[in-house]
Amino acid sequence: MLNVCLGESLNPQVKSVGLKWIFSDGLSRHVDEVVEYCNKNDVRVIFLHRKNYLRQAISMYDKGVMREKYNIKKNETLPEEQAVDIPVEFLQNKIKWIGWAQEQIRKFSNRVKSSLQIDYEDMMDDPKKYMQDIQSFLQVDAVKMKDIKLDGFQKMHTGSIDILVSGWREKRMVLMKESTFKNSITEWETCN
């Protein structure tokens, strides 16, 4: 599959090919093959990672449930944010899974010759800087930043957690009992 996606383009004008591969889409089952391919073919890999696992878990739940609830297609926008009743078990399991996945991604990135790690939160604070960093890393001709529309860059699920998640106080107490991430909950609550 990687040969098809990353192989020479049929269009000689194309200087690079991009591919988005989400860790939950099966990357974890093929790490050795992907690392070998990337290193052998000088594939440059960008890892976008979130520091705030709690907001990522909320986002994962909200996207699936809201799209299903309102029968929203992929490129359509969701209704205004409202408190979502997320089961505490979902938050516990997703936060643990995100932590595990981030560790696997770190290991993967250490094995790939050409990799760049970008934090979602930092990129959202200064998208122009990160777009320039990405262009430089990919060794593609720089596009003038005034020509790039950045109005599509916006944080999702901003604001306090108790407004985003219904019954947050009770769920927070349950999450705080988890030793694996209890020290991070307060930080994740205050950080957008």
Side-chain angles (χ1 to χ4, degrees), residues 70-109:
Y70 294 101
N71 196 24
I72 297 171
K73 292 180 178 46
K74 193 172 186 176
N75 293 326
E76 293 176 331
T77 56
L78 296 170
E80 286 290 314
E81 279 190 24
Q82 55 191 3
V84 179
D85 187 19
I86 303 174
V88 73
E89 297 82 13
F90 178 90
L91 293 172
Q92 289 171 309
N93 292 333
K94 279 301 175 192
I95 291 171
K96 286 177 188 175
W97 182 86
I98 293 165
W100 172 84
Q102 292 296 341
E103 183 57 32
Q104 301 310 307
I105 291 168
R106 274 193 234 20
K107 289 177 185 175
F108 178 72
S109 87

Side-chain angles (χ1 to χ4, degrees), residues 8-86:
E8 294 224 8
S9 171
L10 298 175
N11 181 347
Q13 300 292 333
V14 174
K15 293 182 180 181
S16 62
V17 175
L19 169 68
K20 176 182 171 185
W21 193 355
I22 301 172
F23 198 77
S24 59
D25 287 346
L27 176 61
S28 62
R29 292 187 300 269
H30 304 285
V31 171
D32 292 334
E33 300 97 308
V34 173
V35 167
E36 182 180 337
Y37 184 91
C38 291
N39 289 338
K40 180 180 174 189
N41 295 287
D42 194 31
V43 174
R44 298 173 187 282
V45 182
I46 299 171
F47 296 95
L48 180 63
H49 127 19
R50 284 185 84 159
K51 295 184 246 183
N52 193 324
Y53 297 180
L54 176 60
R55 288 190 186 270
Q56 185 175 358
I58 292 167
S59 185
M60 292 168 94
Y61 183 85
D62 196 26
K63 283 181 197 172
V65 169
M66 294 296 277
R67 289 191 190 288
E68 195 174 290
K69 181 177 178 181
Y70 294 101
N71 196 24
I72 297 171
K73 292 180 178 46
K74 193 172 186 176
N75 293 326
E76 293 176 331
T77 56
L78 296 170
E80 286 290 314
E81 279 190 24
Q82 55 191 3
V84 179
D85 187 19
I86 303 174

Side-chain angles (χ1 to χ4, degrees), residues 109-154:
S109 87
N110 289 337
R111 293 176 56 200
V112 175
K113 277 194 297 190
S114 299
S115 68
L116 174 67
Q117 292 195 32
I118 298 175
D119 293 328
Y120 166 84
E121 292 85 355
D122 296 340
M123 184 179 74
M124 296 309 293
D125 289 340
D126 191 357
K128 284 186 180 184
K129 176 206 179 302
Y130 284 90
M131 291 301 292
Q132 290 169 335
D133 290 350
I134 290 168
Q135 289 176 39
S136 174
F137 171 73
L138 294 175
Q139 298 177 341
V140 295
D141 295 337
V143 175
K144 292 179 184 164
M145 295 320 297
K146 65 182 174 95
D147 296 337
I148 295 178
K149 294 183 180 185
L150 297 174
D151 52 349
F153 280 78
Q154 60 183 357

Side-chain angles (χ1 to χ4, degrees), residues 175-190:
L175 291 172
M176 291 298 282
K177 292 177 185 174
E178 288 281 344
S179 61
T180 52
F181 46 81
K182 100 180 204 183
N183 295 333
S184 301
I185 294 293
T186 304
E187 180 185 343
W188 290 338
E189 283 178 302
T190 58

